[in-house]
Amino acid sequence: MQIVNERVSLQRFLKSLQEALSVQSLNSLINTLEETVGNRKYDKDEIDLIIQIVCLHYNVSSKALKNTKQKGIVLEARHQCYCLMHFELKLPLRYISNKVFKNSHQTVYNGIKRFRGLNTKLKLDKEFIDNHIAIKEKYISEKSKPHTTIN
């Protein structure tokens, strides 16, 4: 189903691109590209699944997870969400920040940057990596199930 949707989206994009090129207007082409790329639809169920798994793993509510004032374990859980959404779902940072968490894209970038700079010799970083692996494995097993309800 997802492949069919992506194919239809690609066909619409190419048609729009063809129309923009026929107009011979660079501004028209840029506008078409921005509209098409900016309107890309992402699977909300997979986003919700990641949030649900992270919330269960860290024993936090989704409301707390999306509250930008929360620190500590909630911040770590939020960073896990950023990483999983970016690396597993291939969501752009701006989409994660604007549509999912309603915060600054710089905040999401800093969470991803933290993940990339982890040092396995440090206890807290090692725990973050171990948690990330556990959450990722849970996500992979749950998304392969026909009905994704987590117990």
Side-chain angles (χ1 to χ4, degrees), residues 106-117:
Q106 189 64 40
T107 305
V108 176
Y109 172 76
N110 288 336
I112 303 285
K113 184 176 161 187
R114 173 187 177 215
F115 179 76
R116 288 182 175 152

Side-chain angles (χ1 to χ4, degrees), residues 123-141:
K123 183 181 175 189
L124 289 176
D125 286 0
K126 176 82 169 98
E127 288 175 7
F128 188 88
I129 292 169
D130 291 343
N131 285 328
H132 181 77
I133 291 168
I135 294 167
K136 182 177 174 182
E137 288 172 354
K138 180 76 171 171
Y139 166 71
I140 290 169
S141 72

Side-chain angles (χ1 to χ4, degrees), residues 8-147:
V8 170
S9 296
L10 182 60
Q11 287 172 337
R12 286 185 193 139
F13 169 73
L14 291 174
K15 185 176 180 181
S16 298
L17 183 62
Q18 183 181 18
E19 289 171 5
L21 288 173
S22 67
V23 174
Q24 300 284 329
S25 166
L26 183 58
N27 286 336
S28 176
L29 177 61
I30 291 170
N31 289 338
T32 301
L33 286 171
E34 286 177 347
E35 287 173 13
T36 305
V37 173
N39 289 336
R40 181 175 166 199
K41 302 290 184 222
Y42 297 102
D43 191 348
K44 184 165 176 10
D45 292 337
E46 287 194 38
I47 293 169
D48 291 341
L49 179 61
I50 286 175
I51 291 172
Q52 187 179 11
I53 291 170
V54 170
C55 287
L56 284 173
H57 186 83
Y58 283 98
N59 195 26
V60 298
S61 70
S62 61
K63 184 177 180 180
L65 191 69
K66 292 182 178 185
N67 183 347
T68 58
K69 305 292 183 214
Q70 297 283 339
K71 302 293 180 206
I73 198 79
V74 179
L75 179 65
E76 183 170 320
R78 196 176 319 121
H79 285 182
Q80 290 286 3
C81 283
Y82 296 161
C83 293
L84 287 165
M85 289 176 187
H86 183 66
F87 295 118
E88 295 302 313
L89 301 181
K90 309 296 187 222
L91 297 180
L93 301 181
R94 288 194 188 269
Y95 185 88
I96 296 169
S97 63
N98 295 338
K99 304 288 185 191
V100 181
F101 287 96
K102 311 242 185 305
N103 60 11
S104 164
H105 72 280
Q106 189 64 40
T107 305
V108 176
Y109 172 76
N110 288 336
I112 303 285
K113 184 176 161 187
R114 173 187 177 215
F115 179 76
R116 288 182 175 152
L118 291 175
N119 181 351
T120 56
K121 294 178 182 173
L122 299 175
K123 183 181 175 189
L124 289 176
D125 286 0
K126 176 82 169 98
E127 288 175 7
F128 188 88
I129 292 169
D130 291 343
N131 285 328
H132 181 77
I133 291 168
I135 294 167
K136 182 177 174 182
E137 288 172 354
K138 180 76 171 171
Y139 166 71
I140 290 169
S141 72
E142 290 294 329
K143 83 172 190 172
S144 64
K145 293 180 182 176
H147 299 287

